[in-house]
Amino acid sequence: MKKEIGSEFWTGCSPCDKRGCEWSYKPEWSVRETLSGRVALEYIVEELVKKGKTSVYMPSYCCHTMIEPFLRHGVKVLFYDVVPAESGIKRQFDPDHGCDVVFLLDYFGFVDAGTSVIAKEQHAKGKLIIYDATHSLYSDFNFNDCDYVFGSYRKWMDVNCGFVGVKDNTDIVFGTDWKPFDEYTDMRARIFDLKSRYMNDEDVEKQQFLTLINEAEEMLEQNYHHTLPDQRSFDVLRQTDCRYLVRTRRNNALILMQSVLDLNDERIRCLVVRMDAHDTPLFVPVYIHPNHRNALRCFLIEHSIYCPVHWPLSDLHAVSKAATEVYDCELSLLCDQRYDDLDMYRIVETIKEYLKK
């Protein structure tokens, strides 16, 4: 099997024992699946507009796909700064922001106790609360003071699926224009299968699925409106061993976090300084000095380790200079269920090799 770490998931890369990996929501929530997290968020934005909401207060550190649905529907976006600090990723949240809606998330699966505090305080002021659970799908978060929750399973395994949750059993009604996106999901299924064959040293050129990945993402970017997931994604979600996923990610993250601490090098440190019992990491984010971040990332790629950056700044990010720092310095180390202890130590040894240069 290929020794690559990272990039696209592939068919059969997560253990199966039918324990299921859907979001474990409470009975008072109504939940429906969508093709992606952005599709789910657009549904929420449409509901907000129907209620006369015109503005949202959201974190400066986010993907452009979180911003776009608001702007698409004429909702004004105001950002609160999110900055890297010695003690972790910190919000600079103004409680008197003046917006109708508050958008919250916890980064990389590490739940910040301050998130539920903000939700409670803002809810008491009459604000509607949206929580993006994508990064914290398998962590334990208190949703009591949230009105809407949405997320994407795509970041966790080989599926094309997101979900939207609405509090107090409010019915989620999708109109007749909501349909599966067969052209996209068929292409994604082909990508998952080609990647599986490639990883198992079959006669597949890497460029075959890399080209398809770009085509599929461009297709989704242009046409994500009111789309539903495919049956294959439901099957994968309901057959994946969720306990194994959680256990493996936590174990891998602990190795990486301790190893980065042991490096004792001013050029690199963990952006999240501790993992609590209720956390299930999506990635282990590290702070790399801006003079080294891109060079280290390229060095890792040269050694077949593909660590993403969260996120690229876009034209939609009207954020302060201070808020751009995390975009310049963050690198996401892989810790997911495809990998084991030896893979984590390989990542660390490769980073050490770079730092010795």
Side-chain angles (χ1 to χ4, degrees):
M1 190 170 184
K2 292 281 193 305
K3 295 297 183 182
E4 290 189 0
I5 298 176
S7 193
E8 188 66 63
F9 287 98
W10 59 88
T11 301
C13 63
S14 299
C16 170
D17 79 346
K18 299 186 179 180
R19 298 191 186 190
C21 271
E22 295 104 329
W23 177 54
S24 56
Y25 50 86
K26 296 180 179 179
E28 62 267 25
W29 286 82
S30 295
V31 177
R32 289 197 67 175
E33 287 80 11
T34 60
L35 179 64
S36 71
R38 177 159 43 163
V39 176
L41 177 57
E42 186 185 44
Y43 171 83
I44 294 171
V45 174
E46 290 171 342
E47 293 300 300
L48 293 173
V49 171
K50 290 176 185 176
K51 294 178 179 180
K53 306 304 178 184
T54 61
S55 57
V56 61
Y57 194 39
M58 67 187 303
S60 62
Y61 187 38
C62 66
C63 180
H64 78 280
T65 60
M66 304 176 196
I67 307 169
E68 196 270 345
F70 290 103
L71 298 180
R72 178 174 179 171
H73 290 276
V75 177
K76 180 181 177 181
V77 176
L78 178 66
F79 293 100
Y80 54 89
D81 280 356
V82 178
V83 298
E86 289 295 330
S87 55
I89 301 171
K90 294 298 180 184
R91 305 180 185 92
Q92 296 179 346
F93 190 97
D94 179 2
D96 301 313
H97 49 80
C99 293
D100 303 319
V101 179
V102 174
F103 188 112
L104 298 170
L105 72 153
D106 288 299
Y107 294 101
F108 305 105
F110 299 87
V111 175
D112 184 342
T115 306
S116 58
V117 173
I118 291 173
K120 186 178 183 64
E121 291 175 349
Q122 291 291 303
H123 205 266
K125 291 184 176 183
K127 310 299 181 181
L128 288 180
I129 311 298
I130 302 173
Y131 183 76
D132 181 352
T134 299
H135 281 207
S136 52
L137 272 178
Y138 303 108
S139 300
D140 184 15
F141 176 73
N142 179 357
F143 300 99
N144 289 344
D145 294 293
C146 299
D147 299 284
Y148 299 95
V149 174
F150 77 97
S152 172
Y153 300 105
R154 283 165 27 103
K155 312 299 186 294
W156 294 85
M157 63 194 77
D158 55 311
V159 296
N160 316 298
C161 190
F163 73 92
V164 58
V166 181
K167 186 73 175 294
D168 295 329
N169 283 319
T170 303
D171 287 339
I172 298 175
V173 179
F174 290 165
T176 56
D177 62 327
W178 281 76
K179 293 180 174 62
F181 193 176
D182 293 337
E183 185 181 2
Y184 172 77
T185 55
D186 289 349
M187 185 179 290
R188 290 279 292 170
R190 188 179 171 201
I191 290 166
F192 294 142
D193 288 344
L194 283 171
K195 178 72 180 284
S196 177
R197 291 171 55 197
Y198 169 79
M199 293 299 294
N200 285 291
D201 295 314
E202 295 183 30
D203 187 21
V204 173
E205 292 293 328
K206 189 173 187 177
Q207 195 57 46
Q208 285 181 258
F209 60 83
L210 291 181
T211 299
L212 286 176
I213 289 171
N214 292 333
E215 291 178 5
E217 292 311 297
E218 184 175 346
M219 189 184 300
L220 186 63
E221 186 80 20
Q222 299 300 320
N223 188 23
Y224 67 87
H225 182 67
H226 290 186
T227 47
L228 300 171
D230 55 316
Q231 186 59 47
R232 178 195 172 281
S233 294
F234 283 117
D235 293 341
V236 172
L237 272 172
R238 290 163 186 168
Q239 295 176 8
T240 297
D241 185 344
C242 191
R243 295 181 188 179
Y244 179 88
L245 178 150
V246 170
R247 184 173 65 251
T248 303
R249 285 177 174 273
R250 285 181 54 82
N251 179 71
N252 287 342
L254 283 171
I255 291 172
L256 291 174
M257 293 172 73
Q258 186 59 53
S259 297
V260 170
L261 180 63
D262 292 343
L263 287 174
N264 195 28
D265 191 300
E266 63 182 9
R267 291 170 289 181
I268 180 172
R269 60 178 170 82
C270 286
L271 263 174
V272 180
V273 296
R274 60 176 289 175
M275 180 169 62
D276 292 326
H278 54 250
D279 294 333
T280 300
L282 178 61
F283 296 98
V284 173
V286 292
Y287 181 103
I288 311 290
H289 191 283
N291 292 342
H292 292 274
R293 198 273 302 274
N294 291 340
L296 172 58
R297 189 183 184 202
C298 289
F299 188 79
L300 290 168
I301 290 172
E302 290 171 7
H303 290 78
S304 299
I305 301 170
Y306 299 90
C307 294
V309 164
H310 288 86
W311 287 271
L313 273 169
S314 73
D315 293 338
L316 304 184
H317 287 87
V319 301
S320 72
K321 184 176 179 180
T324 64
E325 182 182 5
V326 68
Y327 289 97
D328 295 332
C329 71
E330 191 274 338
L331 185 67
S332 299
L333 302 185
L334 284 304
C335 65
D336 65 71
Q337 64 273 13
R338 293 174 287 181
Y339 309 113
D340 59 20
D341 295 16
L342 293 178
D343 296 311
M344 299 302 100
Y345 289 121
R346 179 181 155 205
I347 293 172
V348 173
E349 290 304 315
T350 307
I351 292 173
K352 286 181 180 179
E353 188 177 342
Y354 170 84
L355 295 174
K356 290 177 182 176
K357 290 172 59 181

